[in-house]
Every structure is written in C-alpha cells, then in structure tokens.
C-alpha cells in the first residue's frame, strides 16, 4: 500500500449484526473473514443454489485470466479495481505484478472489514504501487479523484468491475456509472465486467433472498460495454472467456457472464 491510503484514518466500525456481501462471498470462497450472520446468510443461499462456491471460484478465475490478458497481451500497467471484496489469493495486483512488477493498482471498496484487510494485505511490489480508496461505486467522481493519486490518467487504465454492478439497483443507474468511468480513462483503456444473469429461476430466487443483489439479463450485461470494442470472444459465460486448456473443462451452466472491452 502507498502511505496516502492509510494515513490518518481511524479504525472503521464493523457491523457484525447484518450480513455483508463481501463477507458472504468470502465464506463461499472458504475464507475466514466472516461472522456468524454472514455464514447464516451464506448457508440460506446455498440451500437454494448449492453451486454458489463454484460461481465464486469461476469469477475469481475470470479475474486472473482477464488480468493476464490485459498485462501480457494488451500491455496495460494500471488497474482500477472497483468492488474489491475481501483479499484472497490471486488478487489483481498479484496477478498483474507477477508479470509486470511495475504495475500500479488502486482498489476501491466501502466495507470496513475490507478496508482493514486491504491496509494489511494489499501490498505492492517495490517497483509498482498499490493503493486503496474507501468509496462507494455510486460516487465515481470521488473514486476518480482519489485514484489519480496513484494512477496516471493520461495513460491507459484497466477498470475492473467484477460482481459489483449487480449490487447497484436500476434506480441508481449503473449504466451511467460505467459511462462516467469509461469517459474518464484515455483511449486504449479497458473495462472488464462480470456479473450474475437472470437465466436461472433458482439463482434469481436466491439473489432476491439476499436483498443486495440484482441479476440482469445477458442483453443488459452486454449493454454495459456500450462505446467499447469487445475483446474476443465477447460477452460470454464465465467458463467461456479464454479458458485455459484442461482435460476436464467446466460445464457451461453457470448463471454469470463476463467480458472485456477496449476504449477506441
């Protein structure tokens, strides 16, 4: 972490009486950074969709593949990861700096527990930089202003929005948020998006039960890439975006879609 991300901050207050999406997701990934209320909610959703841990792992695997493409093939050296969630293995900076140690990464989230762990665990390579912005995705102006401490907005940036747009209701206009971020980065930048889709009634019921997630249609997910040039193979299910060769490929039945788009 750079010093600017943590200087002068008070220890945030963590509410352990209400389940939080980042902590429930952490539970599904086998992490330890969750509380009984999160585990209870996680189990309730698992009773409806037993495949949720697999969906969580597939989204994390997409993150790794997308970052490897962006660094290795597209030459990106700057990342703005919005909706970080709790640090696990293969975070954006680890995947990027394993290929390009000079890569610079800014994480954005607004959960107090994420902030605590980010300050301790999201540490950069000596050649690069890693910072954390405590902000809500609904406040892109704050995100962009604080990210500019670490990122050079005159050079291409990859904006990562994995699993975060589904947490924004239509009333908060997620398309406008993506457009604001797209307009703020220069030509040659990329936006990577993944989110749940409403193609499974059991999944739809589970996300309604969660109270914080909003599954959208495949057409709506594709619409978030307006104004961008889609990288092959386009907007596809999580298992189909540049999968690694395997004798045991994942079945293509997951209610999640993803894609990467380049700003012309």
């Amino acid at each position: 972490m750079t010093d600017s991300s943590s200087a002068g901050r008070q220890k945030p207050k963590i509410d352990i009486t209400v389940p939080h999406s980042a902590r429930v997701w952490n539970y599904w990934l086998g992490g330890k950074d969750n509380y009984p209320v999160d585990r209870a909610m996680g189990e309730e959703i698992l009773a409806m969709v037993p495949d949720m841990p697999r969906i969580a792992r597939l989204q994390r695997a997409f993150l790794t593949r997308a970052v490897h493409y962006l660094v290795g093939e597209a030459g990106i050296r700057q990342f703005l990861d919005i909706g970080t969630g709790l640090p696990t293995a293969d975070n954006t900076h680890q995947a990027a700096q394993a290929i390009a140690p000079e890569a610079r990464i800014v994480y954005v989230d607004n959960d107090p527990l994420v902030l605590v762990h980010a300050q301790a665990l999201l540490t950069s390579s000596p050649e690069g930089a890693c910072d954390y912005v405590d902000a809500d995705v609904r406040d892109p102006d704050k995100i962009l202003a604080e990210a500019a401490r670490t990122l050079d907005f005159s050079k291409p940036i990859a904006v990562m929005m994995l699993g975060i747009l589904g947490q924004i209701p239509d009333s908060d206009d997620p398309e406008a948020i993506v457009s604001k971020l797209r307009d703020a980065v220069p030509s040659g930048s990329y936006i990577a998006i993944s989110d749940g889709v409403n193609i499974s009634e059991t999944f739809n019921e589970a996300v309604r039960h969660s109270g914080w997630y909003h599954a959208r249609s495949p057409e709506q997910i594709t619409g978030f890439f307006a104004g961008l040039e889609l990288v092959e193979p386009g907007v596809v299910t999580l298992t189909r975006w540049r999968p690694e060769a395997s004798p045991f490929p994942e079945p293509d039945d997951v209610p999640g879609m993803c894609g990467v788009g380049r700003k012309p």
Side-chain angles (χ1 to χ4, degrees), residues 49 197-208 215 253-255:
V49 185
V197 288
N198 59 2
I199 59 174
S200 161
E201 187 50 45
T202 54
F203 179 75
N204 296 345
E205 179 59 31
V207 297
R208 282 192 292 268
D253 60 353
V254 62

Side-chain angles (χ1 to χ4, degrees), residues 74-96:
I76 295 294
R77 295 295 182 268
Q78 302 189 107
F79 290 82
L80 179 58
D81 187 334
I82 303 174
T84 305
L86 285 158
T88 58
D90 301 320
N91 299 290
T92 297
H93 74 288
Q94 292 167 318

Side-chain angles (χ1 to χ4, degrees), residues 116-152:
V116 169
H117 284 269
Q119 291 172 341
L121 298 178
L122 298 181
T123 54
S124 172
S125 66
E127 302 93 330
C130 188
D131 199 359
Y132 180 91
V133 173
D134 183 13
D136 192 292
V137 64
R138 297 170 183 83
D139 192 356
D141 289 324
K142 178 181 179 181
I143 290 171
L144 293 166
E146 296 201 22
R149 297 190 308 240
T150 303
L151 306 180
D152 181 353

Side-chain angles (χ1 to χ4, degrees), residues 23-82:
R23 302 194 305 252
V24 174
W25 202 256
N26 175 264
Y27 173 62
W28 289 332
L29 284 169
K32 307 293 186 185
D33 300 310
N34 46 73
Y35 296 96
V37 66
D38 307 306
R39 295 190 285 275
M41 174 60 76
E43 287 297 327
E44 289 176 17
I45 295 175
L46 283 175
M48 291 181 270
V49 185
D51 232 12
M52 283 306 299
R54 173 172 167 257
I55 294 170
R57 290 193 300 270
L58 289 174
Q59 181 159 285
R60 177 61 57 162
F62 166 68
L63 181 151
T64 301
R65 297 198 306 276
V67 171
H68 285 174
Y69 165 79
L70 290 163
V71 177
E73 296 189 41
I76 295 294
R77 295 295 182 268
Q78 302 189 107
F79 290 82
L80 179 58
D81 187 334
I82 303 174

Side-chain angles (χ1 to χ4, degrees), residues 69-70 74 76 157-159 185 188-192 231 260-263:
Y69 165 79
L70 290 163
I76 295 294
I157 295 170
V159 180
V185 295
S189 295
Y190 290 78
I191 296 181
V231 173
V260 176
R262 181 184 183 274
K263 181 174 178 178

